[in-house]
């Protein structure tokens, strides 16, 4: 092009620069370059949206875990709410009862008791048969002792007193959980070498008191150094602690980055609605992957705890109790992702989506006309709703989203409740907009 065209055309439909008219060839070249620029721009937007989408999918599971660590471990009330059910879990109770019974019985030297009894009988001239029979009392005495101790310990562990002591002890120990996960500090839950141990001193104190009151003075001799139960044993504990430290540092920023990346991906993509569907379905898929990962981690955890250290059913109960809120959050996000993708699809141009929208509009319009026919008319308010239908729809949906954001740990039930309320409010607004009276038909025809 010559210098006369350097100033560019005034618009795509009238490419006439000041002082010079483009030839047909120049006009064609201009349109070609304009189309090429649009193609390059769309390609760059698709590339940027794709990168942001991948970043969103990578950050999504990390964000969920980071929020769970922060809310469940770092928050005392949430932590106590998490571990409280363990006090009434039968598998955990049985493991504690058996462990404490073994430790109490081991402090009583039954063999020494029977030996002393045999010696006393022999020294006092008891018949040989009686002396021999006294020497055989070791087994029955140990069995009777174990039975009595087991009954007392079981009564303590299954009592309300134990549940209250368990909750109070875990509330005091919450800071030690954070210390265990970060490798700093010691407390009720602590990392020792390649093991994670739970201090059950609160339980032992209750058992000691009950046994001493029942006449078993040897119960007070339970050693202070043997008051823990191994919950987890792995050579990779140090790596897990490093990961927890990183999540603790990034716990606030990872969810924000994931949300920003998702919004940016939708905004950058040429097709916002399509990218919203892809992002929602992608996040839902990553949540399913996270659920599968939890199943794998559960299997690794159960394999890492020897049965002699902790029975498999007790180990499974402990793991399931600790991660149950994480699983709930993941399931909630799966439901939210599916609802978001469905909503984006309903606003699309497909025949099925148009049919659904048409059926909904016909239904609300018919209901509005029925109300108008019986004298219930919304007048100017209904006309305003009809004219601003897109705006009011966005406000209603936004209010539903905001309620979920402000909801403290929303569950699947909470999501379904909010969804039902949003749909009901949208339907009511549509009915009111169609119940304006004589102006109803004209207003409805003016709304696209």
């Amino acid at each position: 092009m010559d210098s006369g065209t350097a100033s560019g055309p005034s618009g795509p439909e009238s490419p006439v620069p000041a002082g010079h008219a483009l030839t047909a060839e120049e006009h064609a070249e201009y349109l070609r370059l304009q189309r090429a620029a649009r193609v390059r721009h769309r390609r760059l937007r698709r590339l940027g949206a794709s990168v942001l989408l991948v970043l969103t999918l990578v950050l999504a599971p990390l964000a969920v875990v980071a929020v769970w660590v922060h809310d469940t471990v770092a928050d005392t009330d949430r932590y106590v709410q998490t571990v409280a059910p363990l006090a009434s879990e039968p598998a955990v109770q049985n493991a504690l009862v058996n462990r404490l019974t073994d430790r109490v019985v081991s402090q009583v030297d039954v063999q020494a008791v029977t030996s002393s009894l045999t010696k006393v009988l022999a020294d006092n001239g008891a018949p040989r048969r009686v002396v021999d029979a006294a020497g055989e009392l070791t087994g029955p005495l140990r069995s009777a002792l174990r039975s009595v101790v087991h009954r007392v310990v079981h009564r303590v562990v299954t009592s309300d007193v134990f549940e209250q002591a368990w909750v109070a002890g875990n509330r005091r120990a919450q800071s030690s959980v954070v210390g265990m996960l970060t490798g700093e500090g010691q407390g009720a839950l602590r990392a020792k070498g390649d093991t994670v141990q739970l201090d059950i001193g609160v339980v032992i104190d209750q058992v000691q008191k009950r046994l001493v009151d029942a006449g078993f003075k040897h119960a007070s001799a339970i050693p202070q150094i043997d008051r823990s139960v191994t919950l987890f044993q792995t050579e990779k504990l140090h790596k897990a602690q490093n990961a927890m430290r990183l999540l603790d540092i990034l716990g606030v920023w990872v969810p924000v980055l994931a949300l920003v990346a998702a919004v940016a991906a939708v905004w950058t993509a040429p097709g916002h609605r399509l990218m919203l569907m892809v992002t929602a379905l992608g996040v839902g898929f990553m949540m399913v992957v996270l659920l599968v990962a939890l199943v794998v981690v559960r299997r690794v955890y159960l394999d890492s705890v020897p049965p002699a250290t902790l029975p498999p059913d007790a180990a499974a109960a402990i793991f399931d109790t600790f991660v149950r809120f994480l699983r709930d959050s993941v399931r909630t996000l799966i439901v939210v992702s599916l609802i978001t993708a469905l909503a984006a699809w309903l606003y699309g141009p497909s025949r099925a989506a148009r049919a659904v929208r048409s059926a909904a509009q016909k239904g609300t319009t018919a209901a509005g006309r029925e109300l108008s026919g019986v004298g219930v008319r919304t007048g100017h308010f209904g006309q305003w709703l009809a004219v601003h239908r897109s705006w009011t729809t966005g406000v209603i949906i936004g209010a539903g989203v905001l309620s979920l954001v402000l909801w403290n740990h929303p569950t699947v039930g909470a999501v379904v409740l909010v969804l039902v309320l949003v749909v009901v409010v949208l339907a009511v607004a549509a009915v009111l907009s169609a119940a304006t009276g004589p102006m109803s038909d004209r207003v409805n025809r003016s709304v696209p």
Side-chain angles (χ1 to χ4, degrees), residues 181-182 236-248:
L181 292 175
T182 58
K236 299 181 180 180
L237 178 59
H238 182 67
K239 294 181 179 179
Q241 289 176 336
N242 290 336
M244 283 296 179
R245 292 191 193 100
L246 182 60
L247 284 176
D248 185 52

Side-chain angles (χ1 to χ4, degrees), residues 37 124 190 204 209 264 272 300 310 331 404:
N124 287 274
R190 58 181 180 268
I204 292 180
K209 184 176 183 302
H272 302 316
V300 173
L310 192 65
R331 295 188 185 104
L404 286 178

Side-chain angles (χ1 to χ4, degrees), residues 257-277:
L257 289 176
L259 181 60
V260 170
V263 173
V266 175
W267 179 79
T268 304
H272 302 316
R273 184 189 61 82
L274 180 60
M275 179 54 72
L276 178 60
M277 287 182 58

Side-chain angles (χ1 to χ4, degrees), residues 145-375:
L145 175 63
R146 181 177 180 82
S147 178
V148 173
V149 172
H150 187 279
R151 185 167 58 253
V152 173
V153 173
H154 185 272
R155 190 180 302 121
V156 172
V157 172
T158 57
S159 66
D160 294 337
V161 174
F162 168 65
E163 290 190 20
Q164 296 169 3
W166 175 267
V167 171
N170 276 283
R171 184 174 294 277
R172 291 192 301 270
Q174 183 270 339
S175 60
S176 69
V177 176
V178 178
M180 184 278 299
L181 292 175
T182 58
E184 302 172 357
Q186 295 292 319
L189 194 66
R190 58 181 180 268
K192 186 176 182 180
D194 60 353
T195 63
V196 175
Q197 297 179 343
L198 175 65
D199 187 354
I200 56 174
V202 175
V203 184
I204 292 180
D205 291 340
Q206 290 288 329
V207 171
Q208 283 181 316
K209 184 176 183 302
R210 293 288 185 92
L211 289 175
V212 171
D213 292 343
F216 291 90
K217 297 182 180 181
H218 287 284
S220 60
I222 300 176
Q224 296 288 331
I225 61 174
D226 195 15
R227 293 188 163 205
S228 61
V229 174
T230 298
L231 301 181
F232 191 84
Q233 183 173 5
T234 176
E235 298 177 355
K236 299 181 180 180
L237 178 59
H238 182 67
K239 294 181 179 179
Q241 289 176 336
N242 290 336
M244 283 296 179
R245 292 191 193 100
L246 182 60
L247 284 176
D248 185 52
I249 295 173
L250 302 179
V252 178
W253 296 106
V254 172
V256 175
L257 289 176
L259 181 60
V260 170
V263 173
V266 175
W267 179 79
T268 304
H272 302 316
R273 184 189 61 82
L274 180 60
M275 179 54 72
L276 178 60
M277 287 182 58
V278 172
T279 303
L281 292 176
V283 172
F285 174 77
M286 293 305 296
M287 293 302 102
V288 174
V289 172
L290 182 54
L291 284 180
V292 174
L294 286 177
V295 174
V296 175
V297 172
R298 184 180 189 272
R299 185 70 266 166
V300 173
Y301 163 70
L302 294 179
D303 291 340
S304 69
V305 181
T309 301
L310 192 65
D313 56 348
I318 291 172
F319 182 89
D320 293 337
T321 300
F322 266 97
V323 303
R324 75 183 191 278
F325 287 132
L326 176 58
R327 284 176 174 156
D328 290 344
S329 299
V330 172
R331 295 188 185 104
T332 300
L333 277 177
I334 291 176
V335 174
V336 171
S337 299
L338 292 177
I339 292 174
T340 303
L342 178 61
W345 174 80
L346 286 175
Y347 277 92
S350 67
R351 181 179 300 177
R354 290 200 305 269
V356 172
R357 294 199 302 269
S358 177
Q361 183 175 1
K362 289 179 180 177
T364 54
T365 301
R369 289 174 177 172
E370 288 292 333
L371 287 178
S372 179
V374 298

